[in-house]
Amino acid sequence: MKQKELKIIKNEKLTDDVYRMVLEDDESLIEKPGQFINIKLDGFYLRRPISVADWDDKTVTIIYKVVGSGTEHMTSLDTGKKLDILLPLGNGFDISKSGNNPVLIGGGVGLPPMYGTAKKLIEAGITPQVIAGFNDSSQVFLIEELKVLGTQVHVTTVDGSMGTRGFVTDCLKDMEYSHVFACGPEPMLKAIDSVMAEGAEGQFSFEERMGCGFGACMGCSCKTKYGNKRICKDGPVLERGEIIW
């Protein structure tokens, strides 16, 4: 983990409450898809943990949703502004366990880390299927970018305004897959687990409020079958077989 100042080179609106921020970096520190960064904002005590959507040797891209005063403040930050950032944080997804036919599932802003995961799988010669879940069509983002990668994307909306009416599980239950990678709110992850075959393998990335973001405060600890784990450091990705719902 390093503490660095990264400069904003893009901060653009994708939907009414979802934004994409691109940060300039001088080295590639992100090691795995599913890792996150922790951003210090002027006037706010706690840092904001945001999943990494994409990265290369010169940039780190995040996609964030306005859910409170901190993320609302982020929308006002101009290009050229430098941010104090801790990175890389978290364990990330282990794509070596994907098998030949993985499915990636993202609910809302759980979708951005699935983009980075899809890129790394494709680089390894594996083309995944993607299920992207939203409440309605006005909230849909990243779909065209995922298609450009070459993935087959299934969109679900609760109101049926785009794609399949219902939830991500309504697509997953009829699919064949070798492994599940998922990120989103815990009720969604629990529902995914409930429709997966017994013994099927998967990796679930949990969203959790964090204090420090690197395991010191123990504020995001959770129980697993193998003892307590910290979502920020031992996670945010947990294996399906160790999760206690």
Side-chain angles (χ1 to χ4, degrees):
M1 179 190 73
K2 284 190 177 182
Q3 183 175 1
K4 302 186 67 178
E5 281 196 340
L6 302 187
K7 183 172 69 175
I8 299 172
I9 57 176
K10 183 181 290 185
N11 193 16
E12 61 180 349
K13 191 174 187 177
L14 299 182
T15 72
D16 285 345
D17 57 2
V18 175
Y19 290 72
R20 172 165 39 211
M21 180 182 287
V22 183
L23 300 155
E24 186 177 59
D25 200 357
D26 57 3
E27 58 183 326
S28 181
L29 291 175
I30 306 300
E31 299 168 343
K32 291 182 178 181
Q35 290 186 303
F36 65 96
I37 65 176
N38 219 3
I39 306 172
K40 181 176 175 57
L41 299 173
D42 296 338
F44 294 86
Y45 179 67
L46 293 179
R47 292 175 179 266
R48 265 53 185 182
I50 309 287
S51 295
V52 173
D54 196 13
W55 75 95
D56 56 30
D57 291 339
K58 297 181 179 179
T59 64
V60 175
T61 300
I62 60 172
I63 295 176
Y64 63 96
K65 183 177 181 178
V66 177
V67 294
S69 56
T71 43
E72 177 67 40
H73 175 72
M74 287 174 61
T75 68
S76 68
L77 300 178
D78 294 326
T79 56
K81 167 75 172 175
K82 289 186 176 180
L83 297 177
D84 181 321
I85 291 176
L86 299 177
L87 79 165
L89 298 173
N91 58 351
F93 291 108
D94 184 353
I95 65 169
S96 70
K97 299 180 179 181
S98 71
N100 293 322
N101 185 30
V103 60
L104 314 183
I105 308 174
V109 285
L111 186 60
M114 296 298 100
Y115 178 84
T117 306
K119 281 191 73 172
K120 291 303 173 184
L121 284 166
I122 289 170
E123 289 174 8
I126 299 167
T127 302
Q129 300 182 78
V130 179
I131 305 175
F134 304 93
N135 285 326
D136 58 62
S137 60
S138 70
Q139 299 181 2
V140 173
F141 65 94
L142 265 189
I143 301 305
E144 293 308 313
E145 291 92 332
L146 283 162
K147 289 180 179 178
V148 168
L149 290 180
T151 65
Q152 181 180 359
V153 185
H154 308 271
V155 176
T156 70
T157 51
V158 176
D159 68 353
S161 54
M162 181 181 287
T164 299
R165 178 188 292 272
F167 303 98
V168 295
T169 48
D170 291 307
C171 279
L172 181 65
K173 65 185 180 182
D174 297 322
M175 294 173 65
E176 294 184 359
Y177 49 86
S178 57
H179 196 87
V180 170
F181 297 89
C183 182
E186 187 169 331
M188 185 197 85
L189 299 180
K190 186 176 182 179
I192 290 171
D193 177 81
S194 71
V195 301
M196 290 175 63
E198 184 177 354
E201 294 186 350
Q203 299 172 52
F204 294 173
S205 181
F206 283 78
E207 299 172 349
E208 183 62 72
R209 292 187 65 86
M210 297 176 186
C212 67
F214 51 86
C217 72
M218 307 298 289
C220 60
S221 294
C222 69
K223 291 182 178 180
T224 76
K225 294 178 182 177
Y226 309 114
N228 289 332
K229 289 194 173 184
R230 297 158 293 182
I231 292 298
C232 68
K233 186 173 179 64
D234 305 313
V237 178
L238 298 179
E239 298 281 349
R240 185 194 182 202
E242 66 181 316
I243 299 168
I244 299 174
W245 297 108

